């Protein structure tokens, strides 16, 4: 099974910036081309998993119910446009909780893919932060960093885990992945 792991904020929707969170559906704004990129992956046989840290729940900035409402609406909009996400997983713990589900740890990915035959070496984690790159590398997949505002290609040079590839947005990354697949 071909899999793509996506972070949410800064990949699918506009990131509100460091230290801030999408706290309600009215704050959620899809990034240009994101739904089309998801549909393109679906059309090419990829299963899509959203893996996101949402510590704002633990910090009391928004509720688990608000997060569930955001997710339900996001999935409904993606499906209305013809796209499909197989699984959405969030770590709602504080960054210092020591849990195994907070990226760059791989607990969320393992839970989402349990019982599925996924070749992680042929999979990609696409995200906009060092935590996403770390999660991808820690699970054994390739990692693509998106330059959608949170990080720069320059900052990634100092990280423990380096991205395999750096792209400007999700659609650019998806087109590149599909081109790479044709080569192999």
């Amino acid at each position: 099974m071909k899999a793509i792991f996506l972070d949410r904020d800064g990949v699918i929707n506009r990131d509100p910036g460091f230290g801030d969170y999408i706290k309600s559906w009215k704050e959620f704004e899809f990034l240009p081309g994101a739904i089309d990129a998801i549909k393109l992956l679906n059309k090419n046989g990829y299963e899509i998993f959203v893996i996101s840290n949402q510590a704002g729940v633990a910090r009391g900035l928004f509720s688990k119910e608000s997060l569930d409402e955001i997710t339900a609406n996001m999935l409904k909009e993606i499906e209305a446009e013809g796209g499909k996400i197989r699984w959405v997983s969030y770590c709602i713990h504080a960054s210092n909780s020591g849990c195994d589900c907070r990226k760059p740890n791989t607990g969320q990915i393992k839970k989402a893919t349990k019982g599925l035959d996924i070749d992680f070496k042929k999979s990609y984690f696409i995200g906009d932060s060092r935590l996403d790159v770390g999660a991808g590398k820690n699970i054994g997949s390739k990692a693509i960093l998106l330059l959608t505002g949170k990080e720069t290609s320059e900052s990634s040079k100092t990280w423990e885990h380096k991205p395999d590839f750096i792209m400007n947005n999700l659609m650019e990354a998806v087109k590149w992945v599909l081109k790479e697949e044709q080569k192999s």
Side-chain angles (χ1 to χ4, degrees):
M1 178 181 295
K2 299 189 298 187
I4 299 281
F5 302 95
L6 301 176
D7 179 39
R8 192 190 78 180
D9 301 339
V11 176
I12 296 173
N13 60 285
R14 195 166 308 285
D15 189 299
F18 273 119
D20 199 3
Y21 296 88
I22 301 295
K23 298 175 281 306
S24 68
W25 176 242
K26 72 178 190 345
E27 295 179 2
F28 189 99
E29 180 187 344
F30 282 100
L31 285 169
I35 294 176
D36 288 334
I38 290 167
K39 289 178 359 188
L40 191 55
L41 287 170
N42 293 147
K43 191 175 125 192
N44 284 276
Y46 282 89
E47 294 291 339
I48 301 172
F49 300 83
V50 174
I51 308 291
S52 178
N53 290 344
Q54 293 292 327
V57 174
R59 295 175 64 195
L61 300 175
F62 56 98
S63 67
K64 174 79 169 65
E65 292 73 27
S66 294
L67 181 60
D68 291 343
E69 179 188 352
I70 294 166
T71 302
N73 284 312
M74 176 186 76
L75 293 173
K76 191 168 76 176
E77 290 230 2
I78 291 170
E79 288 171 12
E81 295 286 329
K84 181 170 179 10
I85 291 177
R86 182 179 184 120
W87 185 280
V88 179
S89 179
Y90 296 114
C91 171
I92 59 172
H93 306 114
S95 56
N96 62 356
S97 69
C99 65
D100 77 337
C101 61
R102 185 167 177 78
K103 295 180 296 184
N105 297 326
T106 58
Q108 287 188 80
I109 299 170
K110 289 175 182 170
K111 181 180 172 190
T113 59
K114 187 175 179 161
L116 301 176
D117 184 24
I118 297 204
D119 184 347
F120 289 105
K121 287 181 181 66
K122 293 183 178 175
S123 299
Y124 294 85
F125 197 115
I126 302 174
D128 68 334
S129 79
R130 66 179 174 76
L131 299 176
D132 302 319
V133 170
K137 301 307 270 180
N138 286 336
I139 202 73
S141 70
K142 294 179 184 81
I144 300 175
L145 174 66
L146 299 186
L147 301 177
T148 50
K150 193 177 282 180
E151 302 286 359
T152 65
S153 55
E154 201 56 39
S155 68
S156 70
K157 293 176 182 172
T158 64
W159 299 348
E160 176 186 354
H161 298 287
K162 310 283 187 278
D164 293 290
F165 310 100
I166 299 174
M167 304 286 169
N168 290 310
N169 56 55
L170 183 56
M171 182 58 90
E172 186 179 289
V174 166
K175 287 179 177 175
W176 185 88
V177 166
L178 296 176
K179 201 179 295 179
E180 285 299 295
E181 181 186 19
Q182 288 175 348
K183 291 180 188 175
S184 56

